[in-house]
Amino acid sequence: IDLDTDYVVVSTAIEDTVPEYAFAQTHGIKTIHRSDLLAEICAQNRTIAVAGTSGKSTTTAMIYSILQQCGMSPSLITGAGLVSLQEQGKIGNAAVGTSDILVIETDESDGTIVKYRPEIGLILNIDRDHKPIEELMPLFQTFAEHTQKTLIVNLDNPRSAKFSRGEGNDFSCNIKCTNFAENFTQNKEGITFNSNGTQFKISSIGRHNMENALAAISVARLFGISDNDSALALANYSGIYRRNRIIGSHNGITIME
């Protein structure tokens, strides 16, 4: 960093003792919060914003992977590295596409979720984690209100279900609806489930990943992507670095990282 720097971008996790941040403050270089910069970027694109207490990184990665493999060339800004991008020599948590579609992960832990006005908003779940429920609900309420076109919520989570607009875009693994999944199975190679007559197979474990995948499929359907194409894309989904990713098996034992 030098005096010719236009501005320094910082996140909530950056303390003022970090050398670059301290230099900027001492020398009058403008600083901008990461969320404010991301909000500006979102405003210039058709943004899909993924929110929720858990599953955000995985669902964001799945949405990006489906859109990317289906030729829609989206951009990506998220919090965890996609293995598919890391294998290309990239950091993995960001990518630049050629379309105006942008997939982002939002953060409720520091309250910055309220700064975005996406075209499509997705609420996976709302549970106590970084903040008490009574503080979280107003944040998600604002996020829902700021979603410009389509809001998709998980009907199986009582708190996220409260924000349903009743427009037929929500998803569930328990309640029959347009975006419904059933017949969950799991083995050492991953999980399978069915939705709208199509079988999906993913090299990840846990029923929660069926919910994450169904959320991603629900977004893909909005873009006219067939379930068969989504199933093929998710079958090739290689996961997020060090997030319970299945990397092989030996003598009947599944190896994960």
Side-chain angles (χ1 to χ4, degrees), residues 57-100:
S57 294
T58 296
T59 304
T60 301
M62 288 178 172
I63 294 171
Y64 172 80
S65 297
I66 294 174
L67 297 181
Q68 178 68 13
Q69 291 189 51
C70 291
M72 305 200 75
S73 192
S75 295
L76 170 75
I77 301 175
T78 187
L82 278 66
V83 173
S84 60
L85 294 176
Q86 291 176 335
E87 289 174 345
Q88 299 173 32
K90 301 176 181 178
I91 295 175
N93 67 337
V96 178
T98 59
S99 74
D100 60 353

Side-chain angles (χ1 to χ4, degrees), residues 189-205:
E189 296 179 349
I191 63 173
T192 62
F193 62 90
N194 290 83
S195 181
N196 289 353
T198 299
Q199 185 180 72
F200 294 84
K201 182 177 181 180
I202 308 170
S203 296
S204 300
I205 63 171

